[in-house]
Amino acid sequence: MAPNDTLTLIWAGIIGLAIFGYVVMDGFDLGIGILFPWLDKGEHRDTAVNTIAPVWDGNETWLVLGGGGLFAAFPLAYAILMPAVYAPVIAMLLGLVFRGVAFEYRARTTRLWIWDAAFAGGSTLAAFSQGVVLGAVLQGVSVTGRSYSGGWWEWLSPFSVLTGVSVVAGYALLGSCWLIYRTEHGLQDKAFALAKLTGIATLVAVLAVSAATPFLNTDYFSRWFTMPGMAFVAPVPILVVVTAVLFIRALQNRAEIQPFLLALLLFLLSFTGLGISMFPWAIPGKVTIYQAATAENSQIFMLIGVGVMLPIIIGYTAYAYWIFRGKVGHEGYH
Amino acid sequence: MFDTVSAIDLARAQFAFTISFHFIFPSFTIGLASYLTVLEGLWLRTGRDVFLNLFKYWLKIFAITFGMGVVSGIVMAYQFGTNWAVFSDKAGPVIGPLMAYEVLTAFFLEAGFLGVMLFGLERVGKRLHFIATCMVALGTAISAFWIIAVNSWMQTPQGYAINAQGQFYTTSWLQVIFNPSMPYRLVHVLLAAYLTTALVVGGAGAWHLLKDRREGRTPREGTRIMFSMAMWMAVIVAPIQIVVGDEHGLNTLAHQPAKIAAMEGHYKSFPGGPGGGAPLILFGIPDDKAQVMRHKIEIPALGSMILKHDSDAAMAGLDSFPAADRAPVSITFWSFRIMVGIGFGILFMGLWSVVARFNGSLASSGWLHRLALLMGPMGFVAVIAGWVTTEVGRQPFTVFGLLRTTQSASPLDAPAVAASLIAFIITYFVVFGVGTWFIIKLMGHEPHPGETGPTRGEAPRVPILGGAVDIDPVAQLAE
Ligand code: HDD
Ligand code: HEM
Ligand code: HEM
């Protein structure tokens, strides 16, 4: 049984949505871990963790949806990519283990520094690894027949390290904007300062990655720099500049929610840019989404599930966020 | 130094290690989530504080276990691609959607309501909080439903066809999901989770009963209640589990006879007829190389009696299957006996507790408490032994009869798999070792009036006055 082209397109959209959903939901949450070393020990750190403790598990579930969705909708892409980015994926998983348990362990331990370090280190490692995976996919992987045929270091390049650092910077930005939104007083002041720094870092990173990507392969280049594609993609960089200006304004006005929303918009734009570069490849230059797609009846079966469940999930997730809304203090919600 | 075979063996070792660790947590959280629902329900219904205290006591332990279950589970979701890429490519169109459904219907549900369950009692009120607890418990059961469907399809595949690229695809989703071994496995695994939880709760209760007696205190009401609840669970569920296990075995005989031959230690076939039935081998030393069972102690004809309900029935041994299709006896034979032994151990303990209940010594019978303490961690042992039986017994296939394990692995270099395996082993022992230590510490204090919930941030490190009685010792927990 063959895939259906329309459904394949829809599924590429859903996977894109799930991955973006993951970045939106878990980005700020990992970002807080990345920022941890710059937050004061004690109250500030506890408050920062309190803002995400009731929701981190749900946030991380989007990662399972992204990975599981890729497995389900494009099994061939999953089967080729996972061995290709083996080391960074394992590193990401181990990082997530350390930071995930730190939520509970921090509350039980007397040696707080160990689990603070695990939280910060695990979050940073996970974010960096995700960026490396992104870079490794963009730069392409070796494929023979239906499987990966490169070595176990193929993912490592200056470009993938650059994307790794960029994602760390971007998540840190989301984390500081989240703290602006959810905290007050001293911690919020700190978050404003951090947002400025990480904002600049993220912009530099976006520029660097954008500058490097078109030169990775001629296909990307022609897409960005020749007509008619150019007319179609030109708005993306322009909107990035506009967003950046608005973001700086918002920080200057000490706006509380705008910085977070604008940072998300920045991510959305970068994500769109990546999508433009990638389409219609599942593995750049090697396997298209149409070749990687699963059988038609699997596509339909899952589409029903997504159609019914996703609105419900968004509903109760929003409800959980609403319950824990408002400014957060350091004593927790017990 | 490394050849391709050892890369596969390393990948198997890594999968076995990570899934065994992962499953330890669900086998406790599935049961505990239901137990917490019962406790909170009893509290809402009776209004007695003792149930609220028990609820909060076990909630703290649940929070830690659940966290460990989540992070080890996310590792599993990616293991299929990293270590079993060819399997993922081929079986993806069938099992991928089932796992996607697990994410959509179970993981989000658990995760979405977990925050409310752990931290929301004051914010949302009793009734909504109870709903959140129910949702988390429901989520764990739904999760089991889908993943067991996946695993069972790999054991007893049906409802599929194979395309030109060698990929499986589905011809009937109902047949895939409700494949022949799925109902048995689902019930058996859920009951196993309940038993495991009952044993842990009973073990913790027994420990405090013993300690209180030694120190001349009357046990608190909460301690007596939880011990009693656990013993009821053991005596009711253990016999059901034994019957279900027997049915499960009969089903396996119909669909995976080679697995049964390996579990039973039958290298040779038995022709049947008067005196020709298969014996039940109680003990023995399997020798896979020579394909014989050494030093065996057996009961004649009982094997045929149990599996075919006819003492003269013929039984296929491993010699009826091609040498390349035989599961290793050495592991399955023993793991099966460990599981069954523990099953009967639980039954024995449960029956003893009924006797003790009738002569009024349930809260004072030292030997029963010692046995319950010993049995405390045995559920985990039985569960792992059960899975090892199931999974090793499926060898040398990943999808039984259709896809060989050697044809399922990723094209990885052995050093990469070896390095990640070592990283997993170190991380898991450190991280989950510490988590287990926290849990043991939490269980080491007796449930008491004024229990606090799973607090976070500063609070737990500042001693909190626990009711009028004493200071909450959890607050001062050390590593
Ligand atoms: C019969 C039950 C069962 C079995 C056989 C498995 N799991 Fe599991 N899993 C659960 C029962 C469960 C659970 C009860 O739903 C967990 C355990 C503890 C928990 O916190 O949720 C969970 C958590 C959990 C999570 C984290 C969910 C989240 O983000 O909240 C993932 C991604 C997986 N599992 C994936 C797997 C995979 C890929 C498995 C097989 C190879 C697997 N599990 C076997
Ligand atoms: C949760 C409890 C489980 C345990 C303790 C467990 C245990 C094991 C063990 C010990 C092996 C190694 C067997 C060998 O190589 O000889 C194995 C292999 C495997 N299992 Fe499981 N398993 C569990 C659940 C699952 C589930 C739910 C799935 C599928 C969804 C699964 C899929 C596999 C696969 C793909 C392999 C690799 C092939 C192989 O090495 O045999 N297992 N498992
Ligand atoms: C005492 C009687 C028991 C019998 C006769 C029995 C029978 C079986 C059989 C035949 C299997 C393998 C089925 C297959 O691979 O196709 C199995 C698996 C398993 N058993 Fe048991 N069992 C018993 C008790 C227990 C207990 C007490 C526990 C745990 C507390 C347990 C947990 C498991 C688990 C987790 C599996 C693996 C999943 C599965 O295939 O169902 N069993 N059991």
Side-chain angles (χ1 to χ4, degrees):
Chain A
M1 177 173 280
N4 169 308
D5 284 355
T6 317
L7 289 175
T8 302
L9 226 86
I10 293 176
W11 268 102
I14 294 175
I15 301 298
L17 199 76
I19 297 176
F20 185 66
Y22 172 70
V23 172
V24 171
M25 303 295 281
D26 212 26
F28 68 82
D29 174 328
L30 289 170
I32 286 170
I34 298 168
L35 294 173
F36 231 48
W38 288 274
L39 302 180
D40 296 343
K41 290 197 189 72
E43 249 178 60
H44 279 186
R45 290 188 179 180
D46 290 342
T47 309
V49 169
N50 285 347
T51 63
I52 49 176
V55 292
W56 74 271
D57 183 10
N59 296 347
E60 222 162 274
T61 307
W62 288 84
L63 179 66
V64 186
L65 183 64
L70 186 68
F71 177 32
F74 301 99
L76 182 60
Y78 178 81
I80 293 174
L81 285 178
M82 288 301 143
V85 291
Y86 188 75
V89 165
I90 303 277
M92 172 189 82
L93 295 171
L94 292 174
L96 292 177
V97 168
F98 277 105
R99 80 175 294 269
V101 297
F103 283 97
E104 280 303 319
Y105 291 10
R106 284 184 87 254
R108 301 271 153 241
T109 185
T110 50
R111 286 173 220 159
L112 194 60
W113 65 272
I114 296 181
W115 298 106
D116 275 3
F119 187 60
S123 304
T124 312
L125 180 62
F128 179 73
S129 311
Q130 288 172 7
V132 169
V133 168
L134 174 68
V137 173
L138 281 175
Q139 73 195 10
V141 305
S142 309
V143 179
T144 311
R146 294 178 75 80
S147 46
Y148 173 64
S149 60
W152 50 305
W153 291 106
E154 199 185 85
W155 51 273
L156 184 63
S157 72
F159 181 73
S160 65
V161 173
L162 172 67
T163 49
V165 174
S166 306
V167 168
V168 174
Y171 285 179
L173 169 66
L174 289 174
S176 33
C177 294
W178 173 257
L179 287 181
I180 291 176
Y181 172 43
R182 294 301 302 276
T183 66
E184 47 198 352
H185 312 309
L187 182 54
Q188 196 189 35
D189 295 340
K190 184 75 175 236
F192 269 112
L194 286 170
K196 197 183 265 167
L197 287 178
T198 52
I200 294 169
T202 306
L203 281 176
V204 172
V206 169
L207 281 180
V209 174
S210 310
T213 308
F215 299 98
L216 284 176
N217 75 38
T218 49
D219 204 55
Y220 295 160
F221 189 89
S222 61
R223 189 152 309 175
W224 284 92
F225 295 111
T226 57
M227 282 298 186
M230 206 165 139
F232 181 63
V233 300
V236 175
I238 296 172
L239 285 173
V240 169
V241 175
V242 174
T243 310
V245 172
L246 289 176
F247 178 75
I248 293 166
R249 280 270 195 75
L251 284 190
Q252 277 163 352
N253 299 338
R254 285 186 69 91
E256 298 203 328
I257 174 98
Q258 281 95 326
F260 187 61
L261 296 178
L262 288 166
L264 285 181
L265 186 58
L266 192 65
F267 265 86
L268 181 62
L269 289 170
S270 313
F271 202 72
T272 313
L274 291 175
I276 291 173
S277 295
M278 283 281 286
F279 189 81
W281 297 109
I283 295 165
K286 300 287 171 19
V287 182
T288 66
I289 52 174
Y290 304 104
Q291 291 164 325
T294 188
E296 182 174 0
N297 65 2
S298 303
Q299 292 177 319
I300 296 173
F301 179 58
M302 286 189 296
L303 201 58
I304 298 171
V306 170
V308 174
M309 291 311 298
L310 212 53
I312 299 178
I313 291 168
I314 291 173
Y316 62 63
T317 306
Y319 175 66
Y321 270 83
W322 185 75
I323 289 175
F324 295 101
R325 71 195 174 279
K327 299 284 182 189
V328 178
H330 64 93
E331 20 2 63
Y333 305 98
H334 54 275
Chain B
M1 181 177 149
F2 297 106
D3 53 22
T4 40
V5 176
S6 63
I8 287 186
D9 287 342
L10 286 166
R12 291 171 77 174
Q14 179 166 324
F15 195 92
F17 179 79
T18 49
I19 185 70
S20 301
F21 253 99
H22 173 57
F23 196 69
I24 288 176
F25 307 120
S27 59
F28 190 33
T29 50
I30 294 171
L32 200 50
S34 299
Y35 184 53
L36 285 168
T37 309
V38 170
L39 287 174
E40 191 172 11
L42 284 172
W43 173 56
L44 289 180
R45 180 158 246 218
T46 64
R48 285 171 61 196
D49 276 346
V50 61
F51 291 118
L52 178 63
N53 286 321
L54 280 178
F55 175 80
K56 289 189 169 172
Y57 179 86
W58 287 105
L59 188 62
K60 284 178 286 212
I61 291 165
F62 180 75
I64 297 177
T65 318
F66 205 92
M68 297 194 283
V70 168
V71 295
S72 61
I74 291 175
V75 170
M76 293 322 299
Y78 283 84
Q79 283 272 304
F80 286 98
T82 51
N83 288 16
W84 303 102
V86 180
F87 167 80
S88 300
D89 174 23
K90 299 212 161 127
V94 176
I95 68 172
L98 305 187
M99 292 167 80
Y101 265 89
E102 183 184 13
V103 180
L104 290 166
T105 57
F107 290 158
F108 276 112
L109 192 66
E110 294 170 346
F113 287 97
L114 180 72
V116 183
M117 179 186 182
L118 295 185
F119 311 120
L121 185 54
E122 273 77 29
R123 291 208 163 207
V124 300
K126 294 177 187 176
R127 220 157 284 255
L128 273 178
H129 185 264
F130 181 59
I131 291 177
T133 308
C134 292
M135 287 300 144
V136 172
L138 182 67
T140 60
I142 297 177
S143 160
F145 173 88
W146 290 110
I147 198 73
I148 292 299
V150 170
N151 182 272
S152 299
W153 182 82
M154 292 165 62
Q155 307 283 348
T156 51
Q158 72 170 21
Y160 67 90
I162 298 176
N163 70 12
Q165 289 85 38
Q167 285 178 303
F168 295 95
Y169 67 88
T170 304
T171 53
S172 157
W173 287 106
L174 279 180
Q175 282 197 24
V176 165
I177 295 170
F178 298 99
N179 60 74
S181 63
M182 188 271 185
Y184 299 94
R185 185 163 287 109
L186 180 62
V187 173
H188 197 60
V189 165
L190 289 179
L191 292 181
Y194 289 145
L195 282 175
T196 303
T197 305
L199 290 181
V200 174
V201 173
W207 163 255
H208 290 296
L209 291 173
L210 284 169
K211 201 165 141 215
D212 287 341
R213 217 155 51 112
R214 204 178 52 228
E215 291 167 9
R217 262 179 291 144
T218 25
R220 290 210 165 96
E221 190 188 12
T223 311
R224 276 184 282 124
I225 290 183
M226 79 185 186
F227 183 72
S228 162
M229 286 172 91
M231 290 305 116
W232 275 127
M233 207 55 196
V235 75
I236 295 167
V237 178
I240 303 178
Q241 179 73 321
I242 291 172
V243 172
V244 170
D246 181 43
E247 291 295 316
H248 195 4
L250 296 182
N251 182 263
T252 307
L253 179 64
H255 297 277
Q256 299 176 295
K259 183 191 274 185
I260 290 291
M263 279 157 45
E264 296 292 310
H266 292 158
Y267 287 104
K268 297 206 171 43
S269 302
F270 297 88
L280 181 73
I281 304 180
L282 293 178
F283 290 104
I285 313 281
D287 182 343
D288 277 341
K289 274 227 176 63
Q291 296 272 305
V292 288
M293 180 69 67
R294 303 191 193 279
H295 313 293
K296 59 186 171 197
I297 304 172
E298 57 185 23
I299 303 175
L302 192 58
S304 289
M305 190 63 215
I306 292 174
L307 285 159
K308 300 227 164 140
H309 300 285
D310 169 7
S311 55
D312 292 341
M315 283 284 290
L318 282 175
D319 58 1
S320 324
F321 305 94
D325 294 354
R326 294 178 195 163
V329 176
S330 45
I331 298 173
T332 36
F333 178 78
W334 277 113
S335 56
F336 182 65
R337 272 152 192 73
I338 290 169
M339 170 183 69
V340 174
I342 292 172
F344 282 99
I346 304 171
L347 180 65
F348 175 72
M349 180 182 77
L351 293 175
W352 186 350
S353 76
V354 173
V355 175
R357 227 179 263 278
F358 276 110
N359 59 31
S361 64
L362 188 66
S364 60
S365 162
W367 284 107
L368 176 62
H369 299 159
R370 280 186 197 104
L371 176 64
L373 184 59
L374 178 78
M375 292 299 284
M378 285 305 163
F380 299 107
V381 178
V383 157
I384 296 300
W387 276 109
V388 167
T389 310
T390 300
E391 299 288 307
V392 177
R394 187 188 62 214
Q395 299 306 313
F397 299 98
T398 45
V399 181
F400 187 72
L402 300 167
L403 185 64
R404 281 178 193 276
T405 307
T406 47
Q407 295 160 351
S408 304
S410 297
L412 288 169
D413 298 334
V417 190
S420 60
L421 176 59
I422 293 167
F424 274 120
I425 292 176
I426 295 173
T427 305
Y428 277 27
F429 274 108
V430 170
V431 170
F432 301 140
V434 171
T436 308
W437 176 244
F438 288 145
I439 290 175
I440 291 173
K441 278 278 190 179
L442 283 170
M443 289 194 300
H445 93 106
E446 194 169 354
H448 59 86
E451 281 286 342
T452 54
T455 42
R456 297 173 296 107
E458 269 306 323
R461 280 175 282 113
V462 182
I464 301 161
L465 277 184
V469 193
D470 58 4
I471 288 174
D472 185 351
V474 198
Q476 301 141 349
L477 275 187
E479 275 151 83

